[in-house]
Amino acid sequence: MTGGSRMGGRRGGDARHAGSDRTVELALVLGAVVIGGYAYIETGLATTGKLPPGLPLQLAGAAALPLLCHVAVRRFARHADPLILPLATLLSGLGLVLIHRLDLAYRSHYRSAAAASGQLLWCAIAVVGFSAVMVLLKDHRRLQRYPYLTITVGLVLLMAPAFYPGDVYGAKRWIFLGPLEFQPGEFVKIVIVVFFAGYLTVRKDALALAGRRFLSMYLPRGRQLGPIAAVWILSLLVLVLERDLGTSLIFFGVFVIMLYVATERTSWVAFGVGMFAVGAFVIGSLEPHVHGRVVAWLHPMDIYLPPAQRPAGLVSDQAAQALFSFGSGGMLGTGLGQGHPELIGFAGRSDFILTTVGEELGLAGVTAVLLLYSLLAERGLRTAITVSDPFGKLLAAGLATSLVLQVFVVAGGVTGLIPLTGKALPFLAQGGSAMVANWLMVAVLIKVSDTARRPLPAPATQVSAAETQIVRP
């Protein structure tokens, strides 16, 4: 009886702990909604001098979406990490505010249509997808059951834009179906991570075998180079056929990092980085679109020289305007609505949306946004550490890695650290495909964290020796 009472108290404590996590999550979600609403109001007052029209209805709609997500988590993932949903909510809310800010600037300078209302609609679709994952995905290990179907779907999505006629701004990332357009590469991030997690769970022991020693590192064995060589060739095909440096880098980088997580062999990382560097250098020297991005990275200010003196392939001033935006923002920025984000041009709502943060919120705002991404990735990596099954570890680590790599290639491109890639900044940038894919990623992470934080089942109550004796008649 004593043991049973103690165990019953422990189970009750676990239930209270789960309820406390959900209370914390609800408070943080409401805080994120308040921050987004305040920023939206501040933007309207700074640009027009009055409150935005239809403010109560818009705030109610923006608040209802994360609250619906919270209800789904409370019902179907009650032990999940309480920080993942609020972080995604805050980033998405800031994205809606920034797109609204750009709508105001573009409307007065370019007479372009507003995009914030459409982005809010995509957020609603993303919430539907998020809720569907909460309800239908009972256990994340079910994703491991169909590895070959998963990789087939992933490869079709990855290579489909290469065979679609036409391109957008020099790259082939989109598929057009009538009035609809989407970027399959955004969903490939999740599909490929699921396949890599399943593949490496089965093959990690063989891949961990060391070969010859070279410069204090054990090189991979020759027979184990096949998978990384295949992924390397596929990433280069994406770079050549779709002229998409960002997707190629994320695709190959996620595989190499997950390979390191599975095998703990630094030689795989060194070997993979070397292979990608060689391939990117060759393709960057030969493919005109990729070469143009490299030239713009190396010589951003040369765009203001006379045309005859500009380097070959330099055709855009966006890289230079991005540096001007960060420079004019200073430490605290000009204030929401007080900058000139329209000078960036057509990509201001995509990867260059970070320059609006830098100009109007300053270095402090950019640092805060990057810290939000870092904290979201940290929660994913923490989930990978705490979950017990190998597939869940690799799945959570892969999803967190894909987020980090995408933020790196976008932030690095607009700040001049690396060449521009054209990828959208997760949660902040305009794009329906990206928004839905990012929230599906969050949903999967929450389901894995629910398994990781779920209390262990109570052991059977101890039975005394007297109760096990057989009484003969």
Side-chain angles (χ1 to χ4, degrees), residues 106 110 317-318 321-322 325 340-348 352 355:
Y106 285 9
Y110 304 116
D317 67 340
Q318 287 183 324
Q321 289 291 346
S325 296
H340 297 281
E342 70 278 357
L343 297 178
I344 292 295
F346 67 88
F352 282 94
T355 63

Side-chain angles (χ1 to χ4, degrees), residues 437-456:
N438 290 327
W439 275 93
L440 290 178
M441 177 194 70
V442 168
V444 175
L445 270 180
I446 286 178
K447 294 298 288 188
V448 178
S449 71
D450 176 56
T451 302
R453 295 163 58 90
R454 189 176 302 161
L456 297 174

Side-chain angles (χ1 to χ4, degrees), residues 174-185:
W174 288 265
I175 290 179
F176 299 91
L177 299 176
L180 298 178
E181 62 181 65
F182 69 98
Q183 297 186 49

